[in-house]
Structures are given as C-alpha cells and as structure tokens.
Amino acid sequence: MGAYILRRVLLMIPTLLGIMAISFAVVQFAPGGPVEQVIAKLSGQGGDAGERISGGGADAGNFSDQGGEATRYRGAQGLDPEFIAQLEKQFGFDKPPLQRFGLMIWNYLRFDFGHSYFRDISVIDLIIEKMPVSISLGLWITLISYAISIPLGIRKAVKDGSAFDVWTSAIVIVGYAIPGFLFAILLMVLFAGGSFFDWFPLRGLVSENWREMSWPELILDYFWHMTLPLTAMVLSAFATTTLLTKNSFLDEIRKQYVVTARAKGLTERQVLYGHVFRNAMLIVIAGFPGAFISAFFTGSLLIENIFSLDGLGLLGFRSVLDRDYPVVFANLYIFSLIGLFVGLLSDLTYTWIDPRIDFDRRDV
C-alpha cells in the first residue's frame, strides 16, 4: 500500500502542473486582462466587469500599431505610456509569460498566493474568509443527501419492481432533471417574499444582528437562512446515490452467500444488515469524500449567486469576471490539489472498508 500511495502522490505533480499550465495558457489569450480593467475605469467605461470586456480587447503581449504608436490595450490611447508600464509592472505583466508561470508555480509550492489585484487583502485570507459559507453548504448537502439516499436506496432494492419502487424512481428522476437554480428561484418566489409567503430571508448566512444573539437564537437563525439554499440543492443531490445504493444492494442480494444465509434460517433483516450491507455499501461509503468535495467546490455556485451567499463559488465567479488572476489561479491550485488527494483518500477508503482490495497488485 505504501508503494501505491507514493506512486499516486508522485503522479499528482505532473497532473497539477498540467492543469495549471493549460489554464495559464488559456488566460494569455483571454480578452480584458487586469490592466485593461483599470484602463476601462479610467476611460469612463466602468461598471460590470462582463460589460467592460464584452467588446474584446487584448491581454499583455498582444500588440497593434496604431498611428506609429504601439498600444497594447484597447482604450489606452491618450494615456501616458509610462503609466501603462507601471500598471504592467504592478500586475506582473512586465515579465515574459514563461517567467511569470515559473514564478507563480514556485510561489504556490510554498503556498504563497500573493494579494488580490482589486481587493486589499491576501488571497489566502480572502479564501479563508469565504470558506464558512461553502463548508456549510457542502457539509450539510452531503449529509442530508446521504441520510435520504441510503435508506431510500435500500428500501427500493428490497421492494424492487413494486409500486413503491416505481413511484419513488419517478420522483428521483424528476428531481434530478429539474435544474437546482430554477427550483431555487421557485422557492424564493413562494417562500421568500415573492408573490406568496415571506417566511425565509433572501440573502446571507446569518442575520445582520447575529452578534447580539444568544447561542440558541444564533443556531436557529443559521438554519433559518440555510433552509431554502439546502432545499434547492438537495432536490437533485440524492438521486445518483439513491440509485447507486439500490443497484449495489440488488447485486449483492442475488449472490450465492445471501441464498446460503437465508437457508440457515436467518431473518431478512439479519441477512440484509448483517451480510449484505457491508459489501453493498462499499462503493457508496467510499465515494463520500468525493461527494463532499464536489458539493463543496462546484455544487453551490449558482445557489450562492441566487441567495447572495458570499462563499467560494461566488468568489471564483466574480474573480473570473474581474480578471483577478491571483484569486482565480489560487482557487484552481488549491481545489485541484485537494481534489487529487481526495481521489487518493477515496481509494484508501475502499481498502479500509474491504481489506480484500489490494491496490499494490494493480497498476495505478
């Protein structure tokens, strides 16, 4: 097992470098870099980042000769070239791309992510500041979905082909097919002061006066704010795990050792939870780390936007629009690194649940 872990860890290095290199190369051709963002503000084209860059533009290293004067950026005509050069130096675009990429990787290896271009805060502090929202969403949606999926999947396997199995499958499939953001909007209209009821808040993780609340009030306020976002996310979150649990149990129930256990006179409950459960739940439990990371990093972007929850999803989205590259690349680096380690953790979970699995006998 030690050799397998070492191989997987070593394989993470080129994988991570490849992810960062491809992303960095794409950024070089993306219009509307940070220098152009500043120029747009100075030239009176401020506003939403998406509007400022929708007309195109060129990033550092793209040149066009207009009237004998080299201008690198759209809207830069009339500005002092020395000022443009200072902007390039401030954002690091005075260096060749390969040198910038090498310097970025060297800093990231030391977990030095620098400062945000447009916020007076270090990138790591900014990420830590936004984590509570994303952790709350990721943790609760994973726990709730597993709490629903596992009992429901087991029940569907036991009642395979029955009316219960048919109508629950229909509900699961319909719930999975409905986009979470549409359901979130429906919940807002119905229960957050839209056209019907005003029962839940529209924004934030806690109320503005939460510092004045007692612990019981704070807990209630927290769940009051989390009800609608979690409801919107859980609608489709448990579908895959439910069907996976059902199919895993069906595969195990049909095996010979189950027939033998029943022949010995064991009750159906003893057979199900004493023999089938451990084998059937192998793939479900082993996928828990990956499910949490998926919900934590990718599943809450639209929900955070709709409910104005200031988490990592919203941070990443705004950073891409604003071309705040230190935040974008730091998020990508950290999440990719965590994702690779979670993949390894999932494999190790398999061996913990079922010691018969030996990855040392397999190629990575």
Side-chain angles (χ1 to χ4, degrees), residues 48-123:
D48 182 71
E51 294 176 356
R52 294 199 302 267
I53 65 174
S54 60
D59 205 344
N62 295 332
F63 294 85
S64 61
D65 195 12
Q66 302 176 0
E69 181 182 1
T71 47
R72 292 184 175 93
Y73 309 101
R74 178 182 293 249
Q77 286 183 320
L79 294 178
D80 188 351
E82 292 186 2
F83 173 72
I84 301 297
Q86 289 177 358
L87 285 179
E88 288 182 337
K89 185 175 181 179
Q90 176 183 344
F91 294 123
F93 284 88
D94 58 327
K95 303 179 180 66
L98 285 178
Q99 184 178 348
R100 284 190 280 120
F101 178 73
L103 182 61
M104 180 184 71
I105 294 299
W106 170 246
N107 289 333
Y108 283 10
L109 289 174
R110 297 180 290 121
F111 289 93
D112 178 9
F113 300 106
H115 280 69
S116 166
Y117 282 160
F118 305 112
R119 301 177 178 90
D120 188 20
I121 187 175
S122 68
V123 173

Side-chain angles (χ1 to χ4, degrees), residues 30 68 77 151 238 291 315 336 364:
Q77 286 183 320
F238 65 88
L315 172 65
S336 299
V364 178

Side-chain angles (χ1 to χ4, degrees), residues 31 77 99-100 121 136 142 145-146 226 234 270 279 290 304 320 343:
Q77 286 183 320
Q99 184 178 348
R100 284 190 280 120
I121 187 175
S136 294
T142 305
S145 65
Y146 267 69
M226 292 294 291
V234 80
Q270 288 174 324
N279 295 325
E304 287 183 16
V320 170

Side-chain angles (χ1 to χ4, degrees), residues 340-356:
L340 291 172
F341 274 104
V342 166
L344 175 58
L345 179 61
S346 296
D347 287 347
L348 297 179
T349 307
Y350 277 104
T351 63
W352 174 64
I353 297 174
D354 189 350
R356 295 173 298 177

Side-chain angles (χ1 to χ4, degrees), residues 251-264:
D251 289 341
E252 294 297 323
I253 289 173
R254 294 164 181 166
K255 291 183 178 179
Q256 185 61 41
Y257 75 89
V258 176
V259 177
T260 303
R262 286 170 176 165
K264 290 180 179 180

Side-chain angles (χ1 to χ4, degrees), residues 11-188:
L11 186 62
M12 292 178 188
I13 299 174
T15 304
L16 191 60
L17 284 175
I19 293 173
M20 298 303 296
I22 293 173
S23 303
F24 187 86
V26 169
V27 162
Q28 304 312 303
F29 299 98
V35 177
E36 198 166 59
Q37 298 284 322
V38 176
I39 293 173
K41 291 181 180 180
L42 293 175
S43 59
Q45 301 174 16
D48 182 71
E51 294 176 356
R52 294 199 302 267
I53 65 174
S54 60
D59 205 344
N62 295 332
F63 294 85
S64 61
D65 195 12
Q66 302 176 0
E69 181 182 1
T71 47
R72 292 184 175 93
Y73 309 101
R74 178 182 293 249
Q77 286 183 320
L79 294 178
D80 188 351
E82 292 186 2
F83 173 72
I84 301 297
Q86 289 177 358
L87 285 179
E88 288 182 337
K89 185 175 181 179
Q90 176 183 344
F91 294 123
F93 284 88
D94 58 327
K95 303 179 180 66
L98 285 178
Q99 184 178 348
R100 284 190 280 120
F101 178 73
L103 182 61
M104 180 184 71
I105 294 299
W106 170 246
N107 289 333
Y108 283 10
L109 289 174
R110 297 180 290 121
F111 289 93
D112 178 9
F113 300 106
H115 280 69
S116 166
Y117 282 160
F118 305 112
R119 301 177 178 90
D120 188 20
I121 187 175
S122 68
V123 173
I124 193 65
D125 289 339
L126 186 60
I127 292 175
I128 292 174
E129 178 185 309
K130 309 299 182 183
M131 270 190 174
V133 171
S134 295
I135 290 177
S136 294
L137 292 174
L139 182 60
W140 284 115
I141 198 63
T142 305
L143 293 177
I144 293 173
S145 65
Y146 267 69
I148 296 174
S149 300
I150 293 176
L152 180 59
I154 295 174
R155 185 68 175 172
K156 285 173 64 63
V158 173
K159 299 289 186 180
D160 183 43
S162 67
F164 173 83
D165 181 42
V166 172
W167 69 261
T168 52
S169 294
I171 293 176
V172 167
I173 293 173
V174 170
Y176 185 75
I178 297 176
F181 72 92
L182 287 181
F183 190 57
I185 294 174
L186 175 63
L187 291 175
M188 291 178 65

